[in-house]
Amino acid sequence: MNNFLLEQQQKLERIAILIEFIHSHPESRELKRAMAVKMALEVESYSKINKLLGINKSCITNWNSFSGKIA
């Protein structure tokens, strides 16, 4: 149970960092990346993210795994 709570807390912290980035960064490519990772962390399907943002599923996977290393 503690592991689950820790994972949830880490996910919420990563989402908060991404929200802050989204609000502060005007570059559209970077914004799309942050939005894609945020949506993935919120358990949106990669297919839905792809349809909404036009981002390749493999890119989402790469960005999502990288975001865990910086948060």
Side-chain angles (χ1 to χ4, degrees), residues 2-4 8 11 13-14 16-18 20 22 30 32 36-38 40-41 45 47 53 57-58 64 66 68-69 71:
N2 282 339
N3 192 30
F4 175 76
Q8 288 300 105
K11 184 191 286 189
E13 289 171 3
R14 290 168 64 191
I17 290 168
L18 289 165
E20 182 180 332
I22 288 167
E30 296 297 324
K32 276 186 166 184
V37 172
K38 178 181 174 288
L41 289 171
S45 72
S47 295
L53 300 176
K57 294 175 189 177
S58 64
N64 193 19
F66 179 74
K69 296 175 184 170

Side-chain angles (χ1 to χ4, degrees), residues 26-70:
E27 175 65 39
S28 66
R29 290 182 301 169
E30 296 297 324
L31 181 60
K32 276 186 166 184
R33 287 180 186 148
M35 290 175 64
V37 172
K38 178 181 174 288
M39 290 172 71
L41 289 171
E42 294 173 335
V43 195
E44 290 291 345
S45 72
Y46 285 8
S47 295
K48 183 174 182 178
I49 297 169
N50 173 264
K51 287 178 185 175
L52 290 173
L53 300 176
I55 296 172
N56 189 298
K57 294 175 189 177
S58 64
C59 291
I60 299 166
T61 301
N62 291 339
W63 298 334
N64 193 19
S65 66
F66 179 74
S67 75
K69 296 175 184 170
I70 60 172

